[in-house]
Amino acid sequence: MRASTIAATFVVAVISAKAQRVYVDDYEKRHTVSGKPKIVTFAHTAVSLFDYGLTTDQLIGTYGEYVIEKSDIDFNSPEQTSSYTGDPEPEDLV
């Protein structure tokens, strides 16, 4: 049942990616956007969303922690990878 829910969500997301979106702000100004949405999200959420089809042209930025507790990533030598899979890859730190 969970797989069918995820599949249905994915189908809706694909269909809605082509539809126009309308947002009315607090000043009642109407904003219309078509195509794929562009987002800013928590760093770890962005990693998960890439598994669901988020592309780099949709991701404007991330916030929050980039590494986990006791991470061995060295930000002074970003070409060296961390032993934790949850840490960013060297190309993500650019």
Side-chain angles (χ1 to χ4, degrees), residues 29-85:
K29 181 175 180 180
R30 185 181 179 99
H31 303 272
T32 304
V33 180
S34 59
K36 294 181 179 179
K38 297 183 188 298
I39 64 167
V40 175
T41 186
F42 185 69
H44 294 278
T45 303
V47 173
S48 297
L49 290 173
F50 275 106
D51 291 336
Y52 286 99
L54 181 73
T55 57
T56 55
D57 63 322
Q58 291 176 265
L59 186 64
I60 296 172
T62 59
Y63 59 88
E65 57 196 46
Y66 286 91
V67 296
I68 59 174
E69 185 177 341
K70 299 186 181 179
S71 172
D72 58 357
I73 195 165
D74 183 3
F75 287 101
N76 294 322
S77 299
E79 66 279 355
Q80 296 177 353
T81 59
S82 170
S83 59
Y84 293 99
T85 57

